[in-house]
Amino acid sequence: MGRLMKYLKDYKKESVLAPLFKLLEAFFELLVPLVMASIIDRGIGSPETGSDMGHIGRMGACLLILAVVGLLSSVTAQFFAARAAVGFSTKLRQALFDHIQSLSFTNIDRVGTSTMITRMTSDINQVQSGVNMVLRLFLRSPVIVFGAMIMAFTIDVKSAFIFVVAIPLLTIVVIGVMAWTMPLYKKVQAGLDKVLGITRENLTGVRVIRAFHREAAEEREFRQHTEALARSQIFVGKISAIMNPFTYIIVNGAIIALIYTGALQVNVGSLTQGEVIAIINYMSQILVELVKLANLIVTITKALACADRVAGVFEIQNGEEAALLAGEDGREIQTAQSRQGGREQGVRGGIPFLAFDHVSFGYAGAGADTLHDLSFTVNKGETVGVIGGTGSGKSSLVNLIPGFYPVLKGVIRMEGKDLKTIPEEELRGRVGVVPQKAVLFKGTVRSNLQWGKPDATEEEMWQAIETAQAKDVVEGKEGRLEAKIAQGGKNLSGGQRQRLTIARALVRKPEILILDDSASALDYATDAKLRTALKNLEGNTTTFIVSQRASTVRHADKILVLDDGELAGVGTHDELLAGCAVYREIYFSQYPEERLKAAREQEGLQGPGTEEDKERQEEAENNGKEGAENGR
């Protein structure tokens, strides 16, 4: 909790005034039993002395004044405490959000999205409640407890010794329950993480769940986790509930002892009836305050557990990624300086724009590398196609270029500079990424395009829209650039979303444009128009096109063929068709007639061929269709 207190520094005044006004209220409350004792002893009096109505009136007015001043003090304290707590949680939540935004994909994957959301919402709300309650009650309750004991000593020392026995017993109960429940509340929050994760997964994949008729199975799994969470909460709630009955037993036992000793002393004339009532009132005040303190301890326990979880996110630093990967996988991390190999593959004079030098990469906890020893170069303005089977590492490769993930071995250089030495803001400003999943945000077409460039003019927007083949999409919407976009682009088709996400990346006119299988929902004609438009981009843009379609990458200046994380071939379409078996297999699976043509040329066959050739062609076409469907 102490690590988060720096976010309370802008609320020092409120943090001081709130407890002070609560202390003022406590002092007024401690005077009430003395006033009541005076009313009983002097106002009501005894049959011999008679009553004094004037004194009762004056003391009644005094009680009214104490009540009004105490109320004003309490409201003022609550105002300052609420202001400090809400301001603190606002700054903490903003700082946590900013920190999460700065984390790399490795660290976000490691912690988990559902956990991040829980810590930013539920955990911070618990910490906010804890701060509020501490400012209001943490000083007030001890002052009332010990103040009541001191006031009891001023009335009668013998009776006050009962307080000396009762208060330590109460302290032991409170501290014991707190020590028992704190680790349990951490487990409860962890269980809440699981429930939130399942909820998020079900809402995101609701169509898949219904398509495979998995509703009943998902309901059972959700019920299991919620019931486990409920059991944990009930168990820790029972332990916390022990505090109230124990405190009541101790305090009521003390009150019984006070009444007994007080009655004996009144009988012998050592105490007045008013003084006995005052001592009992002080013990009742202690009882009320300890009940409040018990609830406060429960809140503080939750807040401390949640504060540790929030602080744990702040402790995650991007600089620890290499150590994280090495620690989890037991592999040695090689930095740029430790691998200064010979000249990079494909360099022909000068420094290449982008160079991968023996780069390997693996996800945290994966156990094995996803990419193995990749070396290739890309020149400025080239169009680079990336193709390979499912799970070959295509997306992993292009995610290394903007620095989303750190390389495990080797080095990536841009214009001769190690990518790690380029400031993140500068690097991301030079790269435009269209991710595999087209994501649009709630707002308008204009606001979504401005994600790429906040100060983009309408001319720049329309130019990007036209290049992305989305002009008909925008012009067909009411309001055009002001057309409404639902959250996630739910009011658009898959192809429309993909074209608008491509336009968003093009608006910023990046030096490197990465299209990560972002045209998979486009028909072949639109895909061809898009590739032609990208070829004619201004500014000598270097384009990476990730696709499983051979037609999408065949006209690229350079094609990278990946096979199980390894570079199976680099070259043009014709070069790879002649010398790369993996590329040839992918291409012929999508173009079976080309396979037959190549086979004929190899065998020296001419003309339409025999009936057997036709049967082979039909079989190849059927296999090709199945392969193309699987590839998509």
Side-chain angles (χ1 to χ4, degrees):
M1 189 75 175
R3 290 169 288 183
L4 307 181
M5 285 298 102
K6 62 182 179 181
Y7 300 106
L8 199 59
K9 65 181 181 182
D10 293 335
Y11 299 93
K12 292 178 181 176
K13 180 183 73 176
E14 289 83 355
S15 301
V16 171
L17 290 177
L20 285 180
F21 275 99
K22 271 295 178 182
L23 289 179
L24 186 62
E25 179 201 0
F27 289 136
F28 287 130
E29 191 170 332
L30 288 172
L31 295 176
V32 170
L34 294 180
V35 176
M36 286 302 301
S38 179
I39 290 175
I40 293 170
D41 290 337
R42 294 182 55 188
I44 299 175
S46 62
E48 294 81 14
T49 58
S51 61
D52 185 349
M53 297 305 296
H55 185 76
I56 293 175
R58 290 191 297 272
M59 290 299 101
C62 183
L63 285 176
L64 186 60
I65 292 171
L66 290 175
V68 171
V69 175
L71 176 63
L72 292 175
S73 300
S74 179
V75 171
T76 306
Q78 178 59 45
F79 169 77
F80 285 123
R83 186 171 179 179
V86 172
F88 162 79
S89 65
T90 301
K91 289 183 177 294
L92 176 58
R93 190 176 287 110
Q94 184 64 53
L96 184 62
F97 182 81
D98 293 342
H99 181 71
I100 291 172
Q101 290 294 316
S102 71
L103 293 178
S104 70
F105 285 12
T106 298
N107 284 322
I108 292 175
D109 293 345
R110 170 192 169 199
V111 178
T113 305
S114 60
T115 301
M116 294 286 194
I117 294 172
T118 306
R119 298 189 188 192
M120 191 177 294
T121 53
S122 175
D123 286 349
I124 290 183
N125 286 340
Q126 291 286 0
V127 175
Q128 175 184 324
S129 298
V131 171
N132 190 3
M133 295 290 282
V134 166
L135 292 177
R136 287 173 50 207
L137 298 176
F138 196 68
L139 286 180
R140 182 187 187 279
S141 293
V143 166
I144 290 287
V145 171
F146 290 102
M149 184 175 68
I150 293 169
M151 296 299 288
F153 269 104
T154 63
I155 297 173
D156 181 59
V157 175
K158 186 177 179 181
S159 299
F161 271 109
I162 297 173
F163 288 74
V164 176
V165 176
I167 291 176
L169 291 176
L170 293 168
T171 305
I172 292 170
V173 171
V174 169
I175 293 176
V177 172
M178 181 178 176
W180 194 358
T181 54
M182 185 178 292
L184 295 175
Y185 278 117
K186 289 183 181 180
K187 290 182 179 179
V188 167
Q189 291 300 115
L192 186 60
D193 285 348
K194 291 181 181 178
V195 171
L196 182 61
I198 293 171
T199 305
R200 181 176 177 275
E201 195 174 58
N202 274 266
L203 291 174
T204 304
V206 61
R207 293 186 181 183
V208 178
I209 292 169
R210 290 181 179 176
F212 287 90
H213 195 55
R214 293 279 301 172
E215 296 96 324
E218 292 298 322
E219 286 176 8
R220 283 196 301 273
E221 184 180 357
F222 184 78
R223 187 177 295 108
Q224 288 172 0
H225 282 86
T226 51
E227 287 175 354
L229 176 62
R231 285 194 298 270
S232 299
Q233 289 177 319
I234 291 170
F235 179 67
V236 71
K238 286 179 179 178
I239 297 172
S240 299
I242 291 174
M243 193 177 298
N244 279 358
F246 269 94
T247 52
Y248 271 101
I249 290 171
I250 294 170
V251 172
N252 284 321
I255 289 175
I256 292 171
L258 282 174
I259 293 173
Y260 176 74
T261 57
L264 293 177
Q265 293 188 70
V266 168
N267 191 43
V268 297
S270 299
L271 282 177
T272 64
Q273 294 176 356
E275 288 172 337
V276 173
I277 295 298
I279 292 174
I280 293 174
N281 281 340
Y282 281 128
M283 184 57 75
S284 299
Q285 284 183 352
I286 290 175
L287 174 61
V288 172
E289 289 306 317
L290 283 172
V291 170
K292 292 180 183 178
L293 189 60
N295 294 327
L296 174 63
I297 293 300
V298 172
T299 303
I300 290 176
T301 303
K302 291 181 182 178
L304 290 174
C306 293
D308 284 343
R309 287 161 51 84
V310 173
V313 178
F314 283 111
E315 290 173 357
I316 300 172
Q317 300 296 329
N318 285 334
E320 300 170 359
E321 291 164 345
L324 167 67
L325 289 171
E328 291 195 1
D329 297 323
R331 293 171 286 171
E332 181 184 358
I333 306 301
Q334 297 189 14
T335 62
Q337 292 75 18
S338 68
R339 189 178 275 275
Q340 296 292 343
R343 197 172 185 130
E344 292 90 346
Q345 176 184 338
V347 179
R348 296 179 180 176
I351 299 174
F353 177 62
L354 193 67
F356 276 58
D357 182 11
H358 299 283
V359 171
S360 295
F361 165 72
Y363 293 99
D369 288 347
T370 302
L371 301 174
H372 311 273
D373 199 30
L374 304 184
S375 293
F376 62 88
T377 60
V378 177
N379 296 320
K380 186 78 171 177
E382 282 188 333
T383 299
V384 181
V386 184
I387 194 168
T390 302
S392 59
K394 303 185 296 296
S395 296
S396 299
L397 186 151
V398 293
N399 279 334
L400 298 179
I401 298 171
F404 291 156
Y405 291 96
V407 297
L408 185 65
K409 297 178 184 176
V411 59
I412 304 174
R413 296 188 183 90
M414 183 183 290
E415 296 178 331
K417 295 181 180 178
D418 186 348
L419 218 61
K420 295 176 183 176
T421 64
I422 302 175
E424 186 179 280
E425 186 175 352
E426 178 189 339
L427 177 61
R428 303 279 167 83
R430 299 172 67 178
V431 180
V433 181
V434 184
Q436 204 166 14
K437 181 181 178 182
V439 178
L440 294 172
F441 297 89
K442 185 177 180 180
T444 62
V445 173
R446 182 191 299 275
S447 66
N448 273 276
L449 294 180
Q450 285 175 336
W451 274 68
K453 187 180 180 182
D455 57 348
T457 62
E458 285 206 12
E459 183 182 352
E460 290 174 323
M461 290 184 190
W462 280 110
Q463 184 180 357
I465 289 169
E466 192 167 350
T467 304
Q469 308 303 306
K471 189 174 181 179
D472 59 328
V473 177
V474 179
E475 288 183 340
K477 296 287 182 183
E478 184 180 350
R480 303 177 75 181
L481 288 176
E482 303 304 327
K484 298 296 182 183
I485 301 293
Q487 183 179 356
K490 298 296 184 184
N491 58 337
L492 300 174
S493 69
Q496 290 173 334
R497 285 199 298 269
Q498 285 191 339
R499 282 179 278 176
L500 285 178
T501 53
I502 293 170
R504 180 175 60 196
L506 291 173
V507 164
R508 71 194 310 172
K509 297 179 180 177
E511 294 181 46
I512 300 176
L513 177 64
I514 298 173
L515 304 177
D516 186 3
D517 205 14
S518 53
S520 59
L522 304 184
D523 59 80
Y524 283 94
T526 306
D527 187 20
K529 291 178 183 177
L530 174 63
R531 283 185 278 110
T532 303
L534 292 175
K535 275 280 189 182
N536 300 322
L537 279 177
E538 299 176 1
N540 208 18
T541 302
T542 303
T543 306
F544 283 81
I545 301 176
V546 177
S547 180
Q548 296 195 34
R549 290 179 183 174
S551 61
T552 302
V553 301
R554 66 181 296 178
H555 299 292
D557 300 312
K558 183 179 294 180
I559 302 173
L560 307 177
V561 184
L562 293 178
D563 182 30
D564 197 20
E566 296 181 350
L567 202 57
V570 180
T572 63
H573 169 73
D574 293 332
E575 292 170 348
L576 293 170
L577 207 56
C580 181
V582 176
Y583 182 78
R584 194 161 49 243
E585 184 63 31
I586 294 171
Y587 180 74
F588 285 150
S589 71
Q590 297 175 19
Y591 293 92
E593 67 279 4
E594 295 288 337
R595 182 194 296 271
L596 186 59
K597 181 180 177 182
R600 283 179 183 171
E601 290 176 355
Q602 186 177 2
E603 296 173 6
L605 297 175
Q606 301 294 331
T610 64
E611 289 296 327
E612 184 180 350
D613 291 334
K614 292 179 181 179
E615 290 178 4
R616 287 167 58 190
Q617 182 176 359
E618 290 178 3
E619 183 180 355
E621 286 176 356
N622 291 332
N623 293 336
K625 288 177 182 177
E626 292 178 5
E629 289 298 324
N630 292 332
R632 283 194 289 274

